[in-house]
Amino acid sequence: MTRPSFKNALRRLEALALAAGTLYLTAVTAGSDTAVSAAKALAQSSPLGAVRWELGDLWTADTLSAAAVLTISQSPLLLSARADVAELWQKRQGETPAEDRPAGDDIVTEPVEETPLDAPNAPDNGVEARTLVPTDPSGYTVCGRAYITNSTDHTLSVTELGELFDAELTGEGPQILIVHTHGSESYTPAGDTDVVWSGDHRTTDSRYNVVAVGDAMAEVFSAAGISVLHDRTLYDYPAYSGAYDRSLAAIESYLAQYPTIRFILDVHRDAIEDSQGNQYKVVSDVDGQTSAQMTLVVGSDGSGLSHPDWMENLKLAVALQNQLLQDYPTLMRPILLRNSRYNQHATTGSLLVEVGAAGNSPEEAHLAGTLLAQGMVELLEGRSK
C-alpha cells in the first residue's frame, strides 16, 4: 500500500505543478497578441515573477523587490504603507519617487543643448549671470519659437502641438489657482539682508522665496479682471519629502470648493551650477531691465500614473511660450516634457513654472513672474474671443 500511495501523491504533485505552471504562463503572456510577443514576455520573466504572481503583485508600478513585497505582505501595517516603503527604498537606491521628484530644484551642469551667453549688464548680487538660449534645433521638438526637450518615450506631433488648447476662461468664479509645492525655494538678494535661511537657498521669508513671485503674478491677473486664488502655503516646510502629496490635497480641495478653476500654476525656481560647482543666475534683458529666465515644465503619464490629458497642458505651454517669445526673445528657456506628472492631471490648464534660479535676485524673479502673467492674460483673452 505504501508504494501506490507514494505514486498517487507524486502524481498529485505533478498535476499541481503543471497547473501552477500553466497559470503562471497565462499570467506572464496575458497581454501578448502574437506568439513572438508571448515568447518575449516569457523570456523576460523570472522565478521572482512567480512570487509576485502568487502575491497578486505583477502589475504594481513601484520598484520594490519580490523579497520586499513578500516581507511587507506579512504585516497589514507595512502593507498599508507600501507607498512610503517604496519611497524609502527608492531614496536608498539614489532615486527620488517620480511623483515627488523636486522639479524646481534640479541641479544641472553646463547645459549641452543651450548656449550660455554672458550678461554683463545684469545687476550684481554676487552671482555670475548668463543667458541660456538654444541655438541648434537638433535634439528638440520645435513648434514655432518654442523649443521642447522631450525626456519621455512619447513621439510629439508639431501639428498637434499647434492646435488650440482645451482650457479657457469662463468668466464665472475663480479661474486661476497659483500654488507653490516647494514654496521655500528662494533667491539671492544683493547686499546684507536679514533673511533667515531654512536650508540651502531656502527660506520661509516670503520676501525672498517663490511665494513673492506668486504675489506679483496674482496682481497682474487681478488687474486684468481675472479672478485668481493664491495659495501661499509652504508645502515643503518643515518637511520637504511628500510636498507633492500635500499640494495635491490642497489642489483637490480648491477644485471641490471652486469648480470654476481652469488654470493651475505651480511656481518654483531652478538651481543651476557650472561644471566647477559654481552657481549662476539666468537672465534676460527686457527693455533695459534684467528679468530672470523661465522654464515651463509639463508632466506626462510616463511614470505610470494616470494622466490621459497631458497633451492639453503641453499645447498650453507651447502657446504661452510662443506668446512670450514674440516680445521677449530670450525670456524663456526650452519647455521640459517629463515622465512625472507633477499634479498636472488635476486640470487641462496646469503648468509648472520655474522662475529663474537660486542665484537670481528677488527683483529679477518678480519681473519674470509679472511678464509671464501678462503674457498669459494676453493669450487667454485672445483665446476667449
Side-chain angles (χ1 to χ4, degrees):
M1 294 297 293
T2 301
R3 186 175 296 277
S5 297
F6 176 77
K7 288 184 177 180
N8 290 337
L10 186 60
R11 289 194 188 97
R12 290 191 184 95
L13 287 175
E14 290 174 347
L16 287 172
L18 180 61
T22 301
L23 287 173
Y24 176 64
L25 289 173
T26 302
V28 171
T29 61
S32 306
D33 53 5
T34 66
V36 173
S37 61
K40 183 178 180 180
L42 185 60
Q44 293 176 340
S45 66
S46 69
L48 292 178
V51 177
R52 288 193 177 277
W53 170 74
E54 181 67 26
L55 294 171
D57 194 61
L58 274 178
W59 295 278
T60 303
D62 62 37
T63 59
L64 290 180
S65 66
V69 173
L70 181 61
T71 300
I72 69 172
S73 67
Q74 306 306 305
S75 167
L77 181 60
L78 286 175
L79 190 59
S80 67
R82 174 168 180 158
D84 295 327
V85 174
E87 179 181 343
L88 290 172
W89 172 256
Q90 288 175 318
K91 285 182 177 179
R92 185 168 181 175
Q93 299 305 306
E95 301 176 359
T96 305
E99 187 65 6
D100 202 26
R101 185 172 296 119
D105 198 27
D106 290 341
I107 302 296
V108 296
T109 58
E110 288 298 347
V112 177
E113 297 89 356
E114 299 171 89
T115 300
L117 305 176
D118 292 332
N121 298 323
D124 184 16
N125 65 338
V127 182
E128 183 179 354
R130 298 183 184 179
T131 300
L132 302 183
V133 293
T135 57
D136 184 348
S138 303
Y140 294 100
T141 299
V142 182
C143 185
R145 295 178 175 86
Y147 281 64
I148 304 170
T149 300
N150 180 8
S151 60
T152 74
D153 291 331
H154 292 292
T155 300
L156 300 179
S157 164
V158 174
T159 300
E160 186 177 4
L161 291 172
E163 295 174 352
L164 194 62
F165 52 89
D166 176 72
E168 60 181 329
L169 298 173
T170 64
E172 299 177 0
Q175 303 288 293
I176 298 175
L177 171 64
I178 300 173
V179 299
H180 305 278
T181 296
H182 297 149
S184 70
E185 291 178 333
S186 59
Y187 300 99
T188 304
D192 295 330
T193 64
D194 57 352
V195 60
V196 176
W197 303 104
S198 60
D200 187 13
H201 290 93
R202 297 180 184 279
T203 182
T204 60
D205 190 334
S206 61
R207 294 175 298 171
Y208 305 109
N209 63 27
V210 293
V211 174
V213 179
D215 288 337
M217 296 170 64
E219 288 181 11
V220 173
F221 291 130
S222 296
I226 300 174
S227 181
V228 58
L229 299 173
H230 182 200
D231 184 350
R232 305 175 85 252
T233 306
L234 304 182
Y235 292 106
D236 62 338
Y237 182 85
Y240 187 79
S241 179
Y244 275 98
D245 292 333
R246 291 188 287 275
S247 63
L248 176 59
I251 287 170
E252 291 173 340
S253 178
Y254 277 110
L255 290 175
Q257 186 174 359
Y258 304 103
T260 55
I261 293 173
R262 294 292 180 269
F263 300 90
I264 299 176
L265 303 177
D266 191 355
V267 181
H268 296 243
R269 63 107 177 101
D270 206 344
I272 308 175
E273 295 180 348
D274 62 20
S275 57
Q276 284 75 47
N278 302 310
Q279 285 210 39
Y280 61 88
K281 60 181 178 178
V282 286
V283 299
S284 172
D285 180 79
V286 177
D287 300 327
Q289 300 183 74
T290 302
S291 168
Q293 286 188 298
M294 292 177 285
T295 304
L296 299 177
V297 182
V298 179
S300 72
D301 58 1
S303 67
L305 297 174
S306 177
H307 188 10
D309 298 321
W310 62 268
M311 178 57 75
E312 295 303 324
N313 292 327
L314 183 56
K315 288 193 290 186
L316 170 62
V318 169
L320 180 57
Q321 184 103 333
N322 278 312
Q323 176 75 36
L324 291 165
L325 291 177
Q326 286 181 18
D327 298 321
Y328 313 112
T330 62
L331 182 62
M332 306 300 295
R333 297 172 60 197
I335 297 168
L336 301 181
L337 177 63
R338 298 280 185 84
N339 286 315
S340 301
R341 64 182 184 179
Y342 305 117
N343 295 340
Q344 294 176 5
H345 59 296
T347 71
T348 55
S350 295
L351 295 174
L352 189 155
V353 187
E354 290 184 342
V355 180
N360 281 99
S361 69
E363 294 78 13
E364 292 164 344
H366 297 172
L367 176 56
T370 298
L371 295 175
L372 183 136
Q374 290 174 346
M376 190 166 178
V377 168
E378 295 175 10
L379 177 67
L380 297 183
E381 289 182 341
R383 165 77 168 85
S384 60
K385 291 180 181 179

